[in-house]
Amino acid sequence: MPVIDQPNSNPRLNFTATKQFDYVWSSLSRAHSKNIPAFIFPWLTEQGSLTAKIQTLGKLTVDVISDTWGQTTQRERKKLNLKAREAARIREVILNVDGQAIIYARSIIPARSLKGHWRYLPKLGNNPLGGFLYKHKGLTRGEIEVAQLPANLFSHINEPTWARRSVFYQYGQGILVNEVFFPAIKPFLNLKDE
């Protein structure tokens, strides 16, 4: 699989290494024992809109890597209770603050979930998914799970990264959202705390 160049000097994702987030995930209650760095823990555990939280750091922009119908992994299908060949839209983006890439997100949107206002999700373009989801009443969220991902998943990031995933429910099977936090987020957090 190819390594895809990202705009604005964003890290490039090594798709061979990621296996589309096919890693072991732990509940937040078990994550306390996993030596999560203090600066990233509040981001992994954030229950509200991550988009709104990011916007407090600076100007948020979204670079879309891919937003198309695709194949889910076995773990993604299991998490969403999907059948092996069930259609799903896969959206992969990089979230930037002031032009700096800080988060990679992969969202799995089953065809059965494209109902109500969610039917407009394929037209999001460079708008953040979280900003759209949290605008509407009736949204619920499943348990947040976390994982430490190996180094070199992304070019120029030669250290392990932390990720979280959860399912948002309103229509159909829900939407599985995976988010990886890049080390580049740390200076933004330090600036906010000063």
Side-chain angles (χ1 to χ4, degrees), residues 4-69:
I4 297 180
D5 287 313
Q6 303 302 324
N8 300 329
S9 300
N10 283 338
R12 295 179 304 157
L13 177 62
N14 181 342
F15 284 99
T16 302
T18 65
K19 298 179 185 173
Q20 284 78 34
F21 290 97
D22 206 13
Y23 295 100
V24 176
W25 296 86
S26 301
S27 66
L28 275 178
S29 59
R30 291 177 51 207
H32 289 282
S33 62
K34 294 194 175 289
N35 299 318
I36 299 171
F39 80 91
I40 205 72
F41 193 80
W43 289 83
L44 291 173
T45 59
E46 175 61 48
Q47 296 287 336
S49 169
L50 187 64
T51 300
K53 188 167 184 169
I54 292 170
Q55 288 171 328
T56 67
L57 303 179
K59 182 177 177 178
L60 170 65
T61 56
V62 179
D63 294 328
V64 178
I65 299 169
S66 175
D67 188 354
T68 187
W69 297 101

Side-chain angles (χ1 to χ4, degrees), residues 154-173:
F154 301 86
S155 66
H156 313 322
I157 301 178
N158 58 3
E159 61 187 275
T161 52
W162 284 91
R164 70 178 194 166
R165 74 174 188 175
S166 57
V167 180
F168 291 87
Y169 297 99
Q170 192 160 17
Y171 300 104
Q173 304 299 104

